[in-house]
Amino acid sequence: MKKTLKIIVLSILTVAVTVIIYGLYCSNTLEIKNYSLSTDKINSQVRFVFISDLHCWEYGEKNSDLVSKINEQNPDFIAVGGDMVNKYSANDHVMRELFPQLAEIAPTYCVLGNHELALKDEIDFRNDIDSTGAKLLDNESVTLNINGEKILLGGMSDFPYYEFNAPDFDTPERYFWDDFKERSKDCYSILLHHQPEYLGSIMQDSNVDLVMCGHTHGGAIQIPFVGGVFAPNQGFFPKYDKGEFDLYDTKMIISAGLGDAYPILRLNNCPEISVVEIN
């Protein structure tokens, strides 16, 4: 009886240790996550890379490993979903070293996350980003011509805890959003916005085809068949952790992100480079 009990206990401990070791290994291994979307709005393939939530982490010297993996994807453009910095330190040197390397691979566009907004009075992100060759889209949009296809790419400023339908909601985000929705009628449109949890209700009849978000860190700890354990603002077992979601007629893809910025370690949750193919 005692021998059987020892075997059971040792087996449980072995499985637990194996799961933890694998989970920690996975959490420090860059993953290429591929998404394939179809549309009748374009006739040629458009391929782009999306990254988010680096939080000053480095994969290789000056993020050489990260840059190499992105370069291997041969993207038409690169999109960045915010939180490249950590709000606890007014230093964006990691971002400023990374962005010129990305801009050499393909045109690079980014939005600000909540960590950038926390430092907006200490860091001139407009200058620091645009001077690298990347372009900040802060309630702005650009029209891309890729393989003869017209793509509307917009970036909406991170604006936590807002009520989009409030009568007194009179901010740059509202004016940008109204314009972006209207322009989305005429071509395939992609919206970059840091936090996904605020977007559900406003996507009804929006004409927007795709939204790319970060912020959730993939739920930090991923439990098989359950999903993420915790995401900022959503709390425990969030509805939106990572992956592909439907918001009415709009597709939303949430990246698991690349780094951490709060005291919950990633576990069984690989840092993610999202590769999106549209055709």
Side-chain angles (χ1 to χ4, degrees):
M1 182 67 179
K2 287 184 177 180
K3 185 176 180 180
T4 301
L5 183 60
K6 284 182 179 180
I7 292 173
I8 293 173
V9 170
L10 285 173
S11 298
I12 292 172
L13 287 174
T14 300
V15 171
V17 170
T18 301
V19 167
I20 291 172
I21 291 173
Y22 172 77
L24 290 173
Y25 167 79
C26 174
S27 303
N28 291 279
T29 304
L30 284 169
E31 176 185 54
I32 303 297
K33 179 67 175 178
N34 292 288
Y35 297 91
S36 181
L37 305 176
S38 59
T39 179
D40 57 5
K41 289 187 176 182
I42 62 175
N43 298 309
S44 301
Q45 179 179 282
V46 173
R47 178 182 176 89
F48 70 94
V49 161
F50 178 77
I51 61 171
S52 187
D53 299 277
L54 184 65
H55 291 295
C56 294
W57 282 50
E58 293 186 75
Y59 293 92
E61 185 178 359
K62 296 184 179 180
N63 271 306
S64 58
D65 293 345
L66 174 61
V67 171
S68 177
K69 282 188 173 291
I70 291 174
N71 187 43
E72 289 171 2
Q73 308 314 308
N74 193 29
D76 294 309
F77 67 94
I78 298 168
V80 181
D83 276 9
M84 293 292 102
V85 301
N86 192 322
K87 67 182 180 181
Y88 305 109
S89 173
N91 190 328
D92 65 350
H93 78 281
V94 172
M95 180 192 77
R96 287 186 284 107
E97 290 175 343
L98 173 63
F99 279 6
Q101 299 178 78
L102 298 184
E104 286 187 3
I105 297 171
T108 300
Y109 305 90
C110 61
V111 292
L112 303 180
N114 56 295
H115 280 249
E116 281 88 11
L117 292 185
L119 296 173
K120 64 184 177 63
D121 294 329
E122 301 175 65
I123 297 175
D124 183 353
F125 285 104
R126 170 72 64 183
N127 177 73
D128 284 9
I129 290 172
D130 288 352
S131 66
T132 66
K135 182 173 178 58
L136 174 62
L137 297 178
D138 195 29
N139 298 320
E140 300 163 88
S141 62
V142 294
T143 300
L144 309 179
N145 192 313
I146 301 172
N147 302 324
E149 304 293 349
K150 183 180 176 183
I151 305 293
L152 179 64
L153 177 66
M156 186 164 66
S157 178
D158 192 62
F159 195 113
Y161 312 116
Y162 62 83
E163 292 286 343
F164 231 96
N165 297 315
D168 59 348
F169 188 69
D170 186 19
T171 73
E173 289 75 29
R174 165 60 76 185
Y175 294 114
F176 164 79
W177 177 242
D178 289 343
D179 177 68
F180 190 76
K181 285 194 301 180
E182 185 64 26
R183 295 177 63 195
S184 294
K185 293 178 181 178
D186 300 324
C187 60
Y188 192 90
S189 59
I190 303 170
L191 176 70
L192 309 179
H193 182 66
H194 185 63
Q195 301 189 49
E197 62 269 20
Y198 304 115
L199 295 179
S201 62
I202 71 169
M203 284 299 160
Q204 189 171 13
D205 301 320
S206 71
N207 305 307
V208 176
D209 296 290
L210 174 63
V211 180
M212 301 298 301
C213 299
H215 186 62
T216 66
H217 298 191
I221 299 169
Q222 278 281 322
I223 299 176
F225 310 110
V226 175
V229 170
F230 181 85
N233 300 337
Q234 295 185 72
F236 289 100
F237 303 105
K239 178 180 180 180
Y240 302 120
D241 53 356
K242 66 177 181 179
E244 186 177 332
F245 300 84
D246 290 312
L247 299 179
Y248 301 99
D249 294 326
T250 300
K251 286 290 184 183
M252 178 170 71
I253 292 175
I254 304 173
S255 169
L258 293 165
D260 290 324
Y262 51 88
I264 297 181
L265 293 175
R266 298 176 77 107
L267 188 64
N268 193 34
N269 179 22
C270 292
E272 178 179 319
I273 298 170
S274 306
V275 180
V276 182
E277 288 189 354
I278 308 165
N279 50 41

mmCIF file of all heavy atoms in Angstrom, residues 27 59 88 118 181 190 218 244:
data_model
loop_
_atom_site.group_PDB
_atom_site.id
_atom_site.type_symbol
_atom_site.label_atom_id
_atom_site.label_comp_id
_atom_site.label_asym_id
_atom_site.label_seq_id
_atom_site.Cartn_x
_atom_site.Cartn_y
_atom_site.Cartn_z
ATOM 1 N N SER A 27 7.249 29.793 -22.336
ATOM 2 C CA SER A 27 7.018 31.203 -22.051
ATOM 3 C C SER A 27 8.204 32.079 -22.413
ATOM 4 O O SER A 27 8.105 33.306 -22.358
ATOM 5 C CB SER A 27 6.675 31.383 -20.565
ATOM 6 O OG SER A 27 5.552 30.605 -20.228
ATOM 7 N N TYR A 59 15.061 40.064 -27.055
ATOM 8 C CA TYR A 59 15.333 38.705 -27.516
ATOM 9 C C TYR A 59 16.598 38.766 -28.357
ATOM 10 O O TYR A 59 16.562 39.120 -29.538
ATOM 11 C CB TYR A 59 14.148 38.179 -28.324
ATOM 12 C CG TYR A 59 12.905 37.981 -27.485
ATOM 13 C CD1 TYR A 59 11.962 39.001 -27.357
ATOM 14 C CD2 TYR A 59 12.685 36.797 -26.789
ATOM 15 C CE1 TYR A 59 10.830 38.839 -26.576
ATOM 16 C CE2 TYR A 59 11.559 36.623 -25.999
ATOM 17 C CZ TYR A 59 10.632 37.651 -25.895
ATOM 18 O OH TYR A 59 9.522 37.476 -25.108
ATOM 19 N N TYR A 88 6.970 51.908 -15.626
ATOM 20 C CA TYR A 88 7.717 52.109 -14.384
ATOM 21 C C TYR A 88 9.100 52.709 -14.626
ATOM 22 O O TYR A 88 9.834 52.972 -13.685
ATOM 23 C CB TYR A 88 7.842 50.783 -13.636
ATOM 24 C CG TYR A 88 6.494 50.134 -13.379
ATOM 25 C CD1 TYR A 88 6.122 48.975 -14.067
ATOM 26 C CD2 TYR A 88 5.581 50.699 -12.486
ATOM 27 C CE1 TYR A 88 4.887 48.400 -13.860
ATOM 28 C CE2 TYR A 88 4.342 50.121 -12.276
ATOM 29 C CZ TYR A 88 3.996 48.979 -12.961
ATOM 30 O OH TYR A 88 2.767 48.411 -12.762
ATOM 31 N N ALA A 118 0.936 56.421 -20.063
ATOM 32 C CA ALA A 118 1.358 56.739 -18.699
ATOM 33 C C ALA A 118 2.630 57.577 -18.689
ATOM 34 O O ALA A 118 2.907 58.285 -17.711
ATOM 35 C CB ALA A 118 1.568 55.454 -17.909
ATOM 36 N N LYS A 181 -14.701 54.636 -39.847
ATOM 37 C CA LYS A 181 -15.831 53.779 -40.226
ATOM 38 C C LYS A 181 -16.335 54.118 -41.621
ATOM 39 O O LYS A 181 -16.629 53.227 -42.418
ATOM 40 C CB LYS A 181 -16.980 53.942 -39.223
ATOM 41 C CG LYS A 181 -16.788 53.270 -37.896
ATOM 42 C CD LYS A 181 -18.093 53.201 -37.125
ATOM 43 C CE LYS A 181 -18.673 54.593 -36.882
ATOM 44 N NZ LYS A 181 -19.934 54.513 -36.137
ATOM 45 N N ILE A 190 -8.079 47.818 -41.707
ATOM 46 C CA ILE A 190 -7.461 47.215 -40.520
ATOM 47 C C ILE A 190 -7.292 48.301 -39.474
ATOM 48 O O ILE A 190 -6.710 49.360 -39.746
ATOM 49 C CB ILE A 190 -6.088 46.615 -40.852
ATOM 50 C CG1 ILE A 190 -6.201 45.579 -41.978
ATOM 51 C CG2 ILE A 190 -5.456 45.981 -39.607
ATOM 52 C CD1 ILE A 190 -4.864 45.109 -42.518
ATOM 53 N N GLY A 218 -1.974 37.436 -23.434
ATOM 54 C CA GLY A 218 -2.437 36.066 -23.638
ATOM 55 C C GLY A 218 -3.070 35.440 -22.418
ATOM 56 O O GLY A 218 -3.203 34.222 -22.338
ATOM 57 N N GLU A 244 -8.229 34.550 -32.257
ATOM 58 C CA GLU A 244 -9.159 35.159 -33.212
ATOM 59 C C GLU A 244 -10.570 35.180 -32.645
ATOM 60 O O GLU A 244 -11.058 34.180 -32.112
ATOM 61 C CB GLU A 244 -9.120 34.366 -34.522
ATOM 62 C CG GLU A 244 -9.918 34.965 -35.651
ATOM 63 C CD GLU A 244 -9.774 34.174 -36.937
ATOM 64 O OE1 GLU A 244 -8.708 33.535 -37.123
ATOM 65 O OE2 GLU A 244 -10.717 34.175 -37.749
#
